Amino acid sequence: MKVIVGITGGIAAYKAPELVRQLVKAGHEVRCAATEHALEFVTRVTLETVSGNALYSDLFASGRTEHVSLKDWGDLLVVAPATANIIGKVANGIADDALSTLLLAFSGKPVVMAPAMNCEMWAHPAVQHNIETLKGWGIRMVGPESGELACGVSGVGRMAEPEQIAAYIASLSTHDSQLSTQKWLVTAGPTYERIDSVRFIGNYSSGKMGFALAQVLADAGADVELVTGPTALTIEHPRVRVTRVESAREMYAAATAAFPTCNGAILSAAVADYRPSECADHKLKKNGNEGMHLDLVQNPDILATLGSMKREGQTLVGFALETDNEEANAQRKLDKKNLDYIVLNSLRDKGAGFGVDTNKVTIIGRDGSRKESPLMSKKEVAQLIVEATALKDTQQ
Ligand code: PMT
């Protein structure tokens, strides 16, 4: 793998050459990118010698757009140490030097950070908020550890040891290629069922859960067919193909067409169970003081249809959004729709479900397996779901 090691200006920068050495020893090709402050702690000569490549540290030195060519070159970017400053810059979209510019350009590829700072700084709400923002975007954190810090006090803030960071990268590089021969279907978002030319029946789904699933599957190497209902969300990933639909019937057509060539499907869309039996082609007018009656007919059940189409070797994962009798209802859907797994989320859990950036789920398998998550970012929940389903058979 081609690994870029980003180094920022903290005392733990003295451990960066050892990390580079270990990555090279593990067979990775390594290039370093350092901030000006990092070079107060570790020299250019050291980094260029251990990596065997020129250091990137000056945005303007070569007169070329090196942050873009380096971004194209690298498979993974690890920042060790990651100071509160670089964490804050990335969380707020600031690109004012070589490394921060590279970090913003490096979207769609795995980024790992090994934070290191004083324990009071680490505990500061601004830093914690920024860390959560980065995690929500899928940036992985290794450490920090608890122990004696350079400032003489003990607490959480020590950079993880180079061996630990190198081992984490090794686990990712196996993980990231595990689905490289696979194709997965994901549904996301709400559906809109038209009443007339200006109104529809819809729901509060934002698409965040489904987009996070598509991102995690693609990061793990899969080609992804993402079929989404109306949402403002976008996804830029070379392995994700997005089909935008409006109604349940359009989602049904796109999903049933894609499923036969897929290894599996995860259906997180909130599909309207019913639609108006007729859609007026003009704006319906008020009819005096009389009420209005809508005649509704049932939409096709996409998940149940895929369950009936499922071939040997395909994996089908559904969601269950419940408000009561959660477990029993989820189990019933698992059986009735011929699923391999069902992901239960309950609207009774604060911070779970529609619209929010977090979720709390229980993944129940037909094989009797069961995994519960705490309240986590939807990106982390997506990682857990992919590990428990798509990656299950590929884990040692
Ligand atoms: O989009 P977000 O704002 O991030 O919110 C995420 C979410 C709450 C929408 C998501 O986590 C979730 O729970 N999705 C499923 C919502 C739902 O409609 O659940 P359900 O229990 O009604 O449906 C069961 C399953 O059947 C789901 O996989 C659903 O996609 C599928 N279904 C339902 C009806 C239908 N006609 N066709 C279907 O495929």
Side-chain angles (χ1 to χ4, degrees):
M1 198 164 46
K2 291 174 176 147
V3 180
I4 303 166
V5 178
I7 304 133
T8 62
I11 181 65
Y14 83 89
K15 294 181 181 174
E18 176 56 20
L19 172 63
V20 174
R21 202 187 64 78
Q22 295 205 10
L23 291 171
V24 171
K25 204 170 143 201
H28 301 295
E29 233 181 293
V30 180
R31 290 200 195 175
C32 296
T35 63
E36 200 187 322
H37 290 157
L39 296 178
E40 297 284 333
F41 296 93
V42 60
T43 71
R44 170 181 294 276
V45 177
T46 309
L47 294 171
E48 292 191 338
T49 306
V50 285
S51 68
N53 281 307
L55 175 74
Y56 172 53
S57 62
D58 185 347
L59 193 52
F60 305 107
S62 62
R64 287 181 288 122
T65 49
E66 198 161 349
H67 60 289
V68 176
S69 47
L70 201 52
K71 164 217 111 166
D72 289 339
W73 177 85
D75 297 316
L76 180 143
L77 171 52
V78 54
V79 185
T83 55
N85 189 42
I86 195 77
I87 289 166
K89 278 192 198 179
V90 179
N92 291 285
I94 296 170
D96 63 353
D97 64 7
L99 182 59
S100 53
T101 308
L102 174 63
L103 272 158
L104 289 203
F106 210 76
S107 65
K109 292 187 183 184
V111 175
V112 177
M113 285 193 173
M117 66 197 76
N118 162 270
C119 51
E120 307 287 349
M121 290 172 75
W122 173 251
H124 195 285
V127 173
Q128 287 305 309
H129 176 79
N130 290 337
I131 290 281
E132 287 313 311
T133 301
L134 298 188
K135 280 188 182 172
W137 294 339
I139 293 182
R140 290 134 159 136
M141 299 290 159
V142 189
E145 303 298 319
S146 180
E148 202 178 317
L149 305 174
C151 49
V153 297
S154 279
V156 179
R158 257 175 90 98
M159 187 176 89
E161 291 303 324
E163 299 75 33
Q164 198 183 336
I165 303 169
Y168 184 79
I169 290 169
S171 77
L172 278 183
S173 53
T174 335
H175 182 110
D176 279 2
S177 58
Q178 278 176 325
L179 297 179
S180 60
T181 56
Q182 300 207 6
K183 184 170 158 195
W184 279 71
L185 164 70
V186 175
T187 66
T191 63
Y192 287 178
E193 310 299 326
R194 286 183 185 219
I195 298 170
D196 63 15
S197 56
V198 299
R199 303 179 180 93
F200 59 84
I201 296 173
N203 61 64
Y204 294 112
S205 171
S206 62
K208 287 178 184 172
M209 191 66 248
F211 275 63
L213 283 161
Q215 180 79 44
V216 170
L217 284 164
D219 285 348
D223 284 326
V224 179
E225 291 284 343
L226 173 61
V227 179
T228 179
T231 167
L233 298 182
T234 57
I235 186 165
E236 297 295 332
H237 196 296
R239 285 193 289 273
V240 180
R241 199 170 79 110
V242 184
T243 304
R244 293 188 185 268
V245 298
E246 183 176 293
S247 66
R249 282 185 296 174
E250 288 168 7
M251 187 173 278
Y252 176 89
T256 50
F259 188 56
T261 57
C262 289
N263 296 82
I266 308 182
L267 271 57
S268 70
V271 185
D273 287 324
Y274 294 92
R275 68 176 185 278
S277 58
E278 283 174 16
C279 165
D281 58 7
H282 58 279
K283 184 179 171 192
L284 294 171
K285 297 286 175 218
K286 254 194 245 167
N287 190 7
N289 289 328
E290 276 182 30
M292 184 185 183
H293 297 279
L294 277 180
D295 185 32
L296 301 178
V297 293
Q298 224 171 54
N299 271 326
D301 191 314
I302 305 165
L303 185 58
T305 306
L306 299 193
S308 67
M309 290 166 67
K310 192 171 66 161
R311 285 181 281 104
E312 172 110 28
Q314 281 184 310
T315 304
L316 186 56
V317 185
F319 268 69
L321 179 65
E322 304 295 340
T323 54
D324 47 66
N325 290 329
E326 288 93 338
E327 293 266 341
N329 287 336
Q331 190 66 49
R332 193 176 41 79
K333 285 176 186 168
L334 176 80
D335 297 334
K336 197 168 154 218
K337 301 193 186 192
N338 191 25
L339 311 182
D340 299 290
Y341 299 92
I342 190 137
V343 181
L344 165 63
N345 44 187
S346 170
L347 287 182
R348 283 203 283 189
D349 287 324
K350 205 165 172 290
F354 287 130
V356 287
D357 291 326
T358 48
N359 208 356
K360 180 173 186 294
V361 301
T362 304
I363 307 164
I364 303 166
R366 169 176 293 277
D367 55 4
S369 62
R370 194 187 157 82
K371 207 166 243 179
E372 278 181 43
S373 82
L375 188 70
M376 302 194 289
S377 72
K378 281 187 173 159
K379 189 72 192 275
E380 287 170 312
V381 170
Q383 247 143 16
L384 200 76
I385 295 170
V386 169
E387 268 158 30
T389 59
L391 285 168
K392 183 171 176 275
D393 296 331
T394 56
Q395 317 239 302
Q396 282 106 27

mmCIF file of all heavy atoms in Angstrom, residues 216-253:
data_model
loop_
_atom_site.group_PDB
_atom_site.id
_atom_site.type_symbol
_atom_site.label_atom_id
_atom_site.label_comp_id
_atom_site.label_asym_id
_atom_site.label_seq_id
_atom_site.Cartn_x
_atom_site.Cartn_y
_atom_site.Cartn_z
ATOM 1 N N VAL A 216 -19.100 3.163 3.586
ATOM 2 C CA VAL A 216 -18.309 2.128 4.276
ATOM 3 C C VAL A 216 -18.100 0.913 3.359
ATOM 4 O O VAL A 216 -16.996 0.360 3.279
ATOM 5 C CB VAL A 216 -18.994 1.716 5.603
ATOM 6 C CG1 VAL A 216 -18.337 0.486 6.201
ATOM 7 C CG2 VAL A 216 -18.950 2.870 6.592
ATOM 8 N N LEU A 217 -19.147 0.503 2.640
ATOM 9 C CA LEU A 217 -19.005 -0.637 1.720
ATOM 10 C C LEU A 217 -17.981 -0.317 0.638
ATOM 11 O O LEU A 217 -17.131 -1.147 0.304
ATOM 12 C CB LEU A 217 -20.359 -0.968 1.076
ATOM 13 C CG LEU A 217 -21.359 -1.704 1.972
ATOM 14 C CD1 LEU A 217 -22.767 -1.617 1.383
ATOM 15 C CD2 LEU A 217 -20.964 -3.179 2.152
ATOM 16 N N ALA A 218 -18.041 0.909 0.099
ATOM 17 C CA ALA A 218 -17.098 1.294 -0.960
ATOM 18 C C ALA A 218 -15.678 1.392 -0.407
ATOM 19 O O ALA A 218 -14.719 0.966 -1.057
ATOM 20 C CB ALA A 218 -17.531 2.611 -1.587
ATOM 21 N N ASP A 219 -15.551 1.919 0.809
ATOM 22 C CA ASP A 219 -14.221 1.992 1.435
ATOM 23 C C ASP A 219 -13.641 0.588 1.640
ATOM 24 O O ASP A 219 -12.429 0.408 1.664
ATOM 25 C CB ASP A 219 -14.286 2.694 2.801
ATOM 26 C CG ASP A 219 -14.441 4.207 2.661
ATOM 27 O OD1 ASP A 219 -14.267 4.718 1.537
ATOM 28 O OD2 ASP A 219 -14.743 4.866 3.672
ATOM 29 N N ALA A 220 -14.535 -0.392 1.825
ATOM 30 C CA ALA A 220 -14.063 -1.772 2.012
ATOM 31 C C ALA A 220 -13.823 -2.464 0.665
ATOM 32 O O ALA A 220 -13.573 -3.659 0.621
ATOM 33 C CB ALA A 220 -15.074 -2.560 2.842
ATOM 34 N N GLY A 221 -13.945 -1.716 -0.418
ATOM 35 C CA GLY A 221 -13.561 -2.250 -1.725
ATOM 36 C C GLY A 221 -14.719 -2.630 -2.632
ATOM 37 O O GLY A 221 -14.495 -2.990 -3.793
ATOM 38 N N ALA A 222 -15.961 -2.573 -2.111
ATOM 39 C CA ALA A 222 -17.101 -3.036 -2.931
ATOM 40 C C ALA A 222 -17.522 -1.977 -3.955
ATOM 41 O O ALA A 222 -17.352 -0.785 -3.718
ATOM 42 C CB ALA A 222 -18.285 -3.355 -2.021
ATOM 43 N N ASP A 223 -18.090 -2.437 -5.063
ATOM 44 C CA ASP A 223 -18.822 -1.527 -5.951
ATOM 45 C C ASP A 223 -20.208 -1.401 -5.347
ATOM 46 O O ASP A 223 -20.797 -2.409 -4.930
ATOM 47 C CB ASP A 223 -18.926 -2.128 -7.357
ATOM 48 C CG ASP A 223 -17.606 -2.009 -8.088
ATOM 49 O OD1 ASP A 223 -16.906 -1.012 -7.864
ATOM 50 O OD2 ASP A 223 -17.271 -2.920 -8.866
ATOM 51 N N VAL A 224 -20.729 -0.185 -5.307
ATOM 52 C CA VAL A 224 -22.013 0.020 -4.625
ATOM 53 C C VAL A 224 -23.022 0.677 -5.555
ATOM 54 O O VAL A 224 -22.725 1.672 -6.220
ATOM 55 C CB VAL A 224 -21.824 0.908 -3.364
ATOM 56 C CG1 VAL A 224 -23.165 1.135 -2.661
ATOM 57 C CG2 VAL A 224 -20.824 0.282 -2.408
ATOM 58 N N GLU A 225 -24.219 0.079 -5.613
ATOM 59 C CA GLU A 225 -25.361 0.690 -6.303
ATOM 60 C C GLU A 225 -26.195 1.333 -5.210
ATOM 61 O O GLU A 225 -26.822 0.633 -4.413
ATOM 62 C CB GLU A 225 -26.214 -0.386 -6.996
ATOM 63 C CG GLU A 225 -25.574 -1.058 -8.169
ATOM 64 C CD GLU A 225 -25.562 -0.175 -9.421
ATOM 65 O OE1 GLU A 225 -26.315 0.818 -9.469
ATOM 66 O OE2 GLU A 225 -24.785 -0.489 -10.336
ATOM 67 N N LEU A 226 -26.170 2.649 -5.146
ATOM 68 C CA LEU A 226 -26.948 3.355 -4.115
ATOM 69 C C LEU A 226 -28.217 3.903 -4.761
ATOM 70 O O LEU A 226 -28.159 4.764 -5.638
ATOM 71 C CB LEU A 226 -26.097 4.495 -3.525
ATOM 72 C CG LEU A 226 -26.806 5.442 -2.550
ATOM 73 C CD1 LEU A 226 -27.319 4.702 -1.322
ATOM 74 C CD2 LEU A 226 -25.877 6.576 -2.115
ATOM 75 N N VAL A 227 -29.363 3.377 -4.310
ATOM 76 C CA VAL A 227 -30.645 3.866 -4.825
ATOM 77 C C VAL A 227 -31.267 4.709 -3.723
ATOM 78 O O VAL A 227 -31.559 4.201 -2.637
ATOM 79 C CB VAL A 227 -31.582 2.688 -5.197
ATOM 80 C CG1 VAL A 227 -32.911 3.225 -5.718
ATOM 81 C CG2 VAL A 227 -30.929 1.787 -6.235
ATOM 82 N N THR A 228 -31.404 6.002 -3.987
ATOM 83 C CA THR A 228 -31.860 6.876 -2.912
ATOM 84 C C THR A 228 -33.097 7.677 -3.289
ATOM 85 O O THR A 228 -33.244 8.128 -4.426
ATOM 86 C CB THR A 228 -30.733 7.846 -2.470
ATOM 87 O OG1 THR A 228 -31.241 8.705 -1.437
ATOM 88 C CG2 THR A 228 -30.216 8.719 -3.604
ATOM 89 N N GLY A 229 -33.956 7.849 -2.277
ATOM 90 C CA GLY A 229 -35.096 8.743 -2.419
ATOM 91 C C GLY A 229 -34.607 10.183 -2.277
ATOM 92 O O GLY A 229 -33.407 10.422 -2.109
ATOM 93 N N PRO A 230 -35.535 11.155 -2.329
ATOM 94 C CA PRO A 230 -35.145 12.562 -2.335
ATOM 95 C C PRO A 230 -34.330 12.965 -1.094
ATOM 96 O O PRO A 230 -34.761 12.761 0.034
ATOM 97 C CB PRO A 230 -36.494 13.290 -2.327
ATOM 98 C CG PRO A 230 -37.463 12.307 -2.901
ATOM 99 C CD PRO A 230 -36.996 10.961 -2.455
ATOM 100 N N THR A 231 -33.148 13.483 -1.313
ATOM 101 C CA THR A 231 -32.272 13.971 -0.239
ATOM 102 C C THR A 231 -31.283 14.948 -0.835
ATOM 103 O O THR A 231 -30.950 14.843 -2.029
ATOM 104 C CB THR A 231 -31.506 12.810 0.455
ATOM 105 O OG1 THR A 231 -30.459 13.364 1.264
ATOM 106 C CG2 THR A 231 -30.863 11.859 -0.536
ATOM 107 N N ALA A 232 -30.797 15.856 0.007
ATOM 108 C CA ALA A 232 -29.796 16.829 -0.468
ATOM 109 C C ALA A 232 -28.395 16.236 -0.383
ATOM 110 O O ALA A 232 -27.427 16.857 -0.828
ATOM 111 C CB ALA A 232 -29.885 18.097 0.377
ATOM 112 N N LEU A 233 -28.270 15.043 0.194
ATOM 113 C CA LEU A 233 -26.929 14.469 0.381
ATOM 114 C C LEU A 233 -26.284 14.105 -0.950
ATOM 115 O O LEU A 233 -26.973 13.743 -1.901
ATOM 116 C CB LEU A 233 -26.996 13.202 1.244
ATOM 117 C CG LEU A 233 -27.504 13.353 2.675
ATOM 118 C CD1 LEU A 233 -27.458 12.002 3.373
ATOM 119 C CD2 LEU A 233 -26.692 14.376 3.441
ATOM 120 N N THR A 234 -24.937 14.191 -0.967
ATOM 121 C CA THR A 234 -24.195 13.751 -2.148
ATOM 122 C C THR A 234 -23.098 12.808 -1.679
ATOM 123 O O THR A 234 -22.737 12.810 -0.492
ATOM 124 C CB THR A 234 -23.539 14.939 -2.883
ATOM 125 O OG1 THR A 234 -22.698 15.626 -1.947
ATOM 126 C CG2 THR A 234 -24.559 15.898 -3.448
ATOM 127 N N ILE A 235 -22.561 12.030 -2.588
ATOM 128 C CA ILE A 235 -21.447 11.140 -2.231
ATOM 129 C C ILE A 235 -20.494 11.105 -3.417
ATOM 130 O O ILE A 235 -20.925 10.931 -4.559
ATOM 131 C CB ILE A 235 -21.958 9.734 -1.824
ATOM 132 C CG1 ILE A 235 -20.821 8.856 -1.314
ATOM 133 C CG2 ILE A 235 -22.710 9.043 -2.934
ATOM 134 C CD1 ILE A 235 -21.307 7.601 -0.561
ATOM 135 N N GLU A 236 -19.220 11.344 -3.155
ATOM 136 C CA GLU A 236 -18.214 11.317 -4.224
ATOM 137 C C GLU A 236 -17.325 10.119 -3.960
ATOM 138 O O GLU A 236 -16.472 10.161 -3.072
ATOM 139 C CB GLU A 236 -17.346 12.587 -4.176
ATOM 140 C CG GLU A 236 -18.087 13.886 -4.415
ATOM 141 C CD GLU A 236 -18.653 13.987 -5.826
ATOM 142 O OE1 GLU A 236 -18.082 13.374 -6.734
ATOM 143 O OE2 GLU A 236 -19.689 14.664 -5.975
ATOM 144 N N HIS A 237 -17.550 9.041 -4.641
ATOM 145 C CA HIS A 237 -16.674 7.885 -4.468
ATOM 146 C C HIS A 237 -16.640 7.151 -5.800
ATOM 147 O O HIS A 237 -17.699 6.874 -6.372
ATOM 148 C CB HIS A 237 -17.195 6.967 -3.358
ATOM 149 C CG HIS A 237 -16.168 5.997 -2.871
ATOM 150 N ND1 HIS A 237 -15.630 5.019 -3.683
ATOM 151 C CD2 HIS A 237 -15.548 5.881 -1.684
ATOM 152 C CE1 HIS A 237 -14.741 4.334 -2.991
ATOM 153 N NE2 HIS A 237 -14.657 4.830 -1.778
ATOM 154 N N PRO A 238 -15.447 6.835 -6.297
ATOM 155 C CA PRO A 238 -15.393 6.208 -7.618
ATOM 156 C C PRO A 238 -16.141 4.884 -7.699
ATOM 157 O O PRO A 238 -16.523 4.454 -8.783
ATOM 158 C CB PRO A 238 -13.884 6.004 -7.839
ATOM 159 C CG PRO A 238 -13.225 6.206 -6.516
ATOM 160 C CD PRO A 238 -14.132 7.067 -5.702
ATOM 161 N N ARG A 239 -16.365 4.216 -6.540
ATOM 162 C CA ARG A 239 -17.032 2.909 -6.592
ATOM 163 C C ARG A 239 -18.531 2.985 -6.271
ATOM 164 O O ARG A 239 -19.186 1.957 -6.183
ATOM 165 C CB ARG A 239 -16.335 1.919 -5.641
ATOM 166 C CG ARG A 239 -15.007 1.423 -6.179
ATOM 167 C CD ARG A 239 -14.501 0.231 -5.403
ATOM 168 N NE ARG A 239 -14.056 0.603 -4.075
ATOM 169 C CZ ARG A 239 -12.840 1.015 -3.778
ATOM 170 N NH1 ARG A 239 -11.939 1.100 -4.720
ATOM 171 N NH2 ARG A 239 -12.514 1.342 -2.542
ATOM 172 N N VAL A 240 -19.042 4.211 -6.055
ATOM 173 C CA VAL A 240 -20.478 4.311 -5.734
ATOM 174 C C VAL A 240 -21.233 4.901 -6.924
ATOM 175 O O VAL A 240 -20.897 5.981 -7.409
ATOM 176 C CB VAL A 240 -20.719 5.208 -4.495
ATOM 177 C CG1 VAL A 240 -22.218 5.299 -4.188
ATOM 178 C CG2 VAL A 240 -19.971 4.669 -3.277
ATOM 179 N N ARG A 241 -22.252 4.163 -7.402
ATOM 180 C CA ARG A 241 -23.104 4.677 -8.477
ATOM 181 C C ARG A 241 -24.455 5.033 -7.854
ATOM 182 O O ARG A 241 -25.084 4.190 -7.204
ATOM 183 C CB ARG A 241 -23.296 3.608 -9.549
ATOM 184 C CG ARG A 241 -23.768 4.199 -10.872
ATOM 185 C CD ARG A 241 -23.692 3.133 -11.927
ATOM 186 N NE ARG A 241 -24.842 2.250 -11.803
ATOM 187 C CZ ARG A 241 -25.837 2.204 -12.683
ATOM 188 N NH1 ARG A 241 -25.807 2.970 -13.740
ATOM 189 N NH2 ARG A 241 -26.844 1.372 -12.517
ATOM 190 N N VAL A 242 -24.857 6.293 -8.029
ATOM 191 C CA VAL A 242 -26.082 6.753 -7.365
ATOM 192 C C VAL A 242 -27.238 6.817 -8.359
ATOM 193 O O VAL A 242 -27.104 7.386 -9.439
ATOM 194 C CB VAL A 242 -25.868 8.161 -6.754
ATOM 195 C CG1 VAL A 242 -27.115 8.599 -5.971
ATOM 196 C CG2 VAL A 242 -24.647 8.195 -5.855
ATOM 197 N N THR A 243 -28.368 6.215 -7.986
ATOM 198 C CA THR A 243 -29.603 6.363 -8.772
ATOM 199 C C THR A 243 -30.603 7.090 -7.881
ATOM 200 O O THR A 243 -30.913 6.619 -6.787
ATOM 201 C CB THR A 243 -30.177 4.979 -9.170
ATOM 202 O OG1 THR A 243 -29.170 4.269 -9.880
ATOM 203 C CG2 THR A 243 -31.410 5.108 -10.033
ATOM 204 N N ARG A 244 -31.045 8.256 -8.343
ATOM 205 C CA ARG A 244 -31.991 9.045 -7.537
ATOM 206 C C ARG A 244 -33.423 8.784 -8.014
ATOM 207 O O ARG A 244 -33.694 8.858 -9.213
ATOM 208 C CB ARG A 244 -31.648 10.536 -7.626
ATOM 209 C CG ARG A 244 -30.317 10.840 -6.957
ATOM 210 C CD ARG A 244 -30.016 12.315 -6.836
ATOM 211 N NE ARG A 244 -28.674 12.480 -6.282
ATOM 212 C CZ ARG A 244 -28.390 12.613 -4.994
ATOM 213 N NH1 ARG A 244 -29.363 12.613 -4.102
ATOM 214 N NH2 ARG A 244 -27.142 12.750 -4.579
ATOM 215 N N VAL A 245 -34.296 8.440 -7.057
ATOM 216 C CA VAL A 245 -35.692 8.161 -7.392
ATOM 217 C C VAL A 245 -36.587 8.990 -6.479
ATOM 218 O O VAL A 245 -36.102 9.620 -5.530
ATOM 219 C CB VAL A 245 -36.023 6.656 -7.211
ATOM 220 C CG1 VAL A 245 -35.185 5.788 -8.133
ATOM 221 C CG2 VAL A 245 -35.826 6.219 -5.751
ATOM 222 N N GLU A 246 -37.884 8.989 -6.775
ATOM 223 C CA GLU A 246 -38.786 9.747 -5.911
ATOM 224 C C GLU A 246 -39.746 8.822 -5.146
ATOM 225 O O GLU A 246 -39.832 8.865 -3.936
ATOM 226 C CB GLU A 246 -39.586 10.740 -6.763
ATOM 227 C CG GLU A 246 -40.484 11.610 -5.912
ATOM 228 C CD GLU A 246 -41.222 12.659 -6.716
ATOM 229 O OE1 GLU A 246 -40.570 13.580 -7.255
ATOM 230 O OE2 GLU A 246 -42.473 12.556 -6.797
ATOM 231 N N SER A 247 -40.417 7.947 -5.870
ATOM 232 C CA SER A 247 -41.493 7.172 -5.240
ATOM 233 C C SER A 247 -41.043 5.743 -4.909
ATOM 234 O O SER A 247 -40.004 5.270 -5.380
ATOM 235 C CB SER A 247 -42.681 7.094 -6.202
ATOM 236 O OG SER A 247 -42.288 6.330 -7.327
ATOM 237 N N ALA A 248 -41.884 5.057 -4.131
ATOM 238 C CA ALA A 248 -41.604 3.656 -3.786
ATOM 239 C C ALA A 248 -41.547 2.788 -5.034
ATOM 240 O O ALA A 248 -40.723 1.887 -5.144
ATOM 241 C CB ALA A 248 -42.693 3.144 -2.837
ATOM 242 N N ARG A 249 -42.432 3.088 -5.983
ATOM 243 C CA ARG A 249 -42.446 2.245 -7.190
ATOM 244 C C ARG A 249 -41.176 2.438 -8.026
ATOM 245 O O ARG A 249 -40.657 1.500 -8.609
ATOM 246 C CB ARG A 249 -43.711 2.508 -8.007
ATOM 247 C CG ARG A 249 -44.910 1.785 -7.386
ATOM 248 C CD ARG A 249 -46.152 1.914 -8.213
ATOM 249 N NE ARG A 249 -46.585 3.308 -8.297
ATOM 250 C CZ ARG A 249 -47.579 3.726 -9.061
ATOM 251 N NH1 ARG A 249 -48.228 2.864 -9.821
ATOM 252 N NH2 ARG A 249 -47.934 4.990 -9.077
ATOM 253 N N GLU A 250 -40.666 3.692 -8.046
ATOM 254 C CA GLU A 250 -39.398 3.922 -8.769
ATOM 255 C C GLU A 250 -38.240 3.217 -8.044
ATOM 256 O O GLU A 250 -37.351 2.648 -8.656
ATOM 257 C CB GLU A 250 -39.107 5.429 -8.866
ATOM 258 C CG GLU A 250 -40.008 6.158 -9.840
ATOM 259 C CD GLU A 250 -39.925 7.671 -9.718
ATOM 260 O OE1 GLU A 250 -39.061 8.178 -8.969
ATOM 261 O OE2 GLU A 250 -40.744 8.345 -10.352
ATOM 262 N N MET A 251 -38.271 3.275 -6.693
ATOM 263 C CA MET A 251 -37.206 2.606 -5.927
ATOM 264 C C MET A 251 -37.289 1.090 -6.143
ATOM 265 O O MET A 251 -36.263 0.412 -6.282
ATOM 266 C CB MET A 251 -37.328 2.961 -4.428
ATOM 267 C CG MET A 251 -36.173 2.457 -3.610
ATOM 268 S SD MET A 251 -36.220 3.046 -1.904
ATOM 269 C CE MET A 251 -35.530 4.672 -2.031
ATOM 270 N N TYR A 252 -38.502 0.582 -6.198
ATOM 271 C CA TYR A 252 -38.718 -0.853 -6.434
ATOM 272 C C TYR A 252 -38.097 -1.263 -7.772
ATOM 273 O O TYR A 252 -37.377 -2.262 -7.870
ATOM 274 C CB TYR A 252 -40.232 -1.124 -6.432
ATOM 275 C CG TYR A 252 -40.629 -2.536 -6.758
ATOM 276 C CD1 TYR A 252 -40.739 -3.492 -5.761
ATOM 277 C CD2 TYR A 252 -40.906 -2.911 -8.075
ATOM 278 C CE1 TYR A 252 -41.111 -4.797 -6.057
ATOM 279 C CE2 TYR A 252 -41.278 -4.208 -8.379
ATOM 280 C CZ TYR A 252 -41.371 -5.150 -7.369
ATOM 281 O OH TYR A 252 -41.739 -6.442 -7.665
ATOM 282 N N ALA A 253 -38.370 -0.447 -8.815
ATOM 283 C CA ALA A 253 -37.867 -0.783 -10.159
ATOM 284 C C ALA A 253 -36.327 -0.781 -10.169
ATOM 285 O O ALA A 253 -35.699 -1.707 -10.692
ATOM 286 C CB ALA A 253 -38.408 0.216 -11.182
#
